[in-house]
Amino acid sequence: MVSIIMPTFNSNAYIDQTIQSVLNQSQSNWELLLIDDASTDSTVETIKNYLKKYPNIKLIQNEKNYGAAISRNKGIEHAKGDYIAFLDADDLWKPHKLERQINFMNKNNCDICFSSYDLMDESGALLHKTVVALPELSYQKFLRCNYIGNLTGIYNTKVLGKVYAPNLRKRQDWLLWLKAVKKSKKSALGIQEPLGVYRIRKNSISSNKFNLLKYNYLVYKKGLGFSTAKSLYYLALFLFEYFFVKSKQTVRSSGM
């Protein structure tokens, strides 16, 4: 079984479509854990409509707004699956996403798998661009830049146990996957087929260059406990990798 962790916060504009992309999966052996982070819109009411129909969809409600890291970790605590996957409440999965990745992981004996993904704008219009996954991702390569789209990642809890996110407001997903790859001692393997669709929001980190520097520095300094000098060194590596290497992975595509 796959446990799908989905934090929500004022996500009512997107949540129906996102949950439907899980219900449309060709692999039916999953549970969906929605962790609502004290939404003030109709997100919880919308989710409760699904609880009546689908016993494998569960809702956990935070008493106050804690942020994505604590919300994801609550979901991981409650997860019962042999695999854990993540899907944010505004992104989408393609119907064969879980089936493709679980079969790939079994065939290749890998602990962590991720894939390419398509891009859409805030309104849901496809941008006809795909971020292409690396075929193989080592821990050292991963330290230089975040190469796992969180909506595509799956890890094997039977091998790794449960891997939790550190309590940082931003970039905690990168740190979670870094911990998982380090714990695995094997490279994560990527599927080149796009299996998800990522929604680009106007307030994303990459749209603000100051925040790009700030939050990625904190990955090294607070998240990984590097010294100031080592954090600045890796931040320089990140900037080169982000602008001159990873940027080449986004290619024109036909979309879904």
Side-chain angles (χ1 to χ4, degrees):
M1 184 173 73
V2 181
S3 294
I4 304 158
I5 312 300
M6 185 187 298
T8 66
F9 175 69
N10 290 349
S11 308
N12 198 54
Y14 312 112
I15 193 71
D16 267 319
Q17 193 179 9
T18 303
I19 292 175
Q20 196 60 51
S21 78
V22 176
L23 292 171
N24 290 340
Q25 289 299 299
S26 56
Q27 173 164 319
S28 58
N29 192 13
W30 51 261
E31 63 172 354
L32 174 59
L33 302 172
L34 295 120
I35 308 90
D36 187 75
D37 203 19
S39 290
T40 56
D41 67 356
S42 302
T43 299
V44 170
E45 287 72 21
T46 300
I47 292 170
K48 284 181 178 177
N49 292 329
Y50 289 95
L51 302 182
K52 301 168 189 174
K53 300 177 187 176
Y54 303 99
N56 54 343
I57 297 180
K58 298 165 182 124
L59 172 64
I60 300 163
Q61 291 181 259
N62 293 341
E63 61 273 16
K64 63 179 182 178
N65 185 268
Y66 288 115
I70 288 177
S71 296
R72 284 198 185 104
N73 287 344
K74 278 193 176 185
I76 294 167
E77 284 174 14
H78 286 81
K80 297 176 181 176
D82 304 307
Y83 300 88
I84 287 180
F86 300 91
L87 179 60
D88 285 347
D90 54 356
D91 296 332
L92 302 173
W93 279 353
K94 299 193 179 185
H96 47 276
K97 193 264 188 194
L98 290 180
E99 182 181 9
R100 287 272 202 281
Q101 287 189 265
I102 299 303
N103 287 343
F104 179 89
M105 292 175 81
N106 289 333
K107 181 180 178 181
N108 293 280
N109 190 31
C110 72
D111 303 334
I112 301 161
C113 175
F114 60 107
S115 78
S116 304
Y117 56 93
D118 294 330
L119 301 177
M120 61 182 166
D121 66 17
E122 196 155 7
S123 71
L126 290 172
L127 298 176
H128 301 293
K129 292 181 180 179
T130 298
V131 178
V132 180
L134 295 175
E136 187 174 347
L137 179 62
S138 68
Y139 181 73
Q140 287 304 317
K141 176 73 170 176
F142 202 13
L143 273 176
R144 298 168 73 105
C145 197
N146 185 6
Y147 280 101
I148 294 181
N150 195 50
L151 77 161
T152 75
I154 297 180
Y155 71 82
N156 187 331
T157 60
K158 293 178 291 185
V159 177
L160 301 180
K162 291 183 175 181
V163 182
Y164 293 89
N167 188 19
L168 288 182
R169 202 72 182 178
K170 302 286 186 181
R171 290 299 203 222
Q172 73 285 140
D173 54 338
W174 182 14
L175 284 161
L176 183 150
W177 290 112
L178 276 167
K179 284 171 65 177
V181 174
K182 188 175 185 179
K183 193 171 184 180
S184 170
K185 298 180 182 177
K186 294 192 290 188
S187 294
L189 299 184
I191 297 173
Q192 274 61 66
E193 179 186 1
L195 297 176
V197 188
Y198 175 77
R199 192 183 304 269
I200 298 177
R201 305 290 292 273
K202 292 174 184 175
N203 60 350
S204 67
I205 291 175
S206 56
S207 65
N208 184 309
K209 298 305 182 255
F210 173 77
N211 283 341
L212 183 71
L213 290 171
K214 173 185 171 183
Y215 290 120
N216 285 283
Y217 173 77
L218 291 176
V219 164
Y220 300 118
K221 180 67 175 175
K222 286 193 173 181
L224 297 173
F226 290 176
S227 67
T228 299
K230 189 174 182 180
S231 298
L232 290 171
Y233 169 74
Y234 271 96
L235 181 61
L237 292 179
F238 165 82
L239 290 172
F240 178 84
E241 196 87 4
Y242 181 83
F243 287 108
F244 298 105
V245 182
K246 189 183 178 186
S247 60
K248 296 176 181 178
Q249 287 183 263
T250 303
V251 301
R252 295 292 298 176
S253 70
S254 58
M256 290 183 76

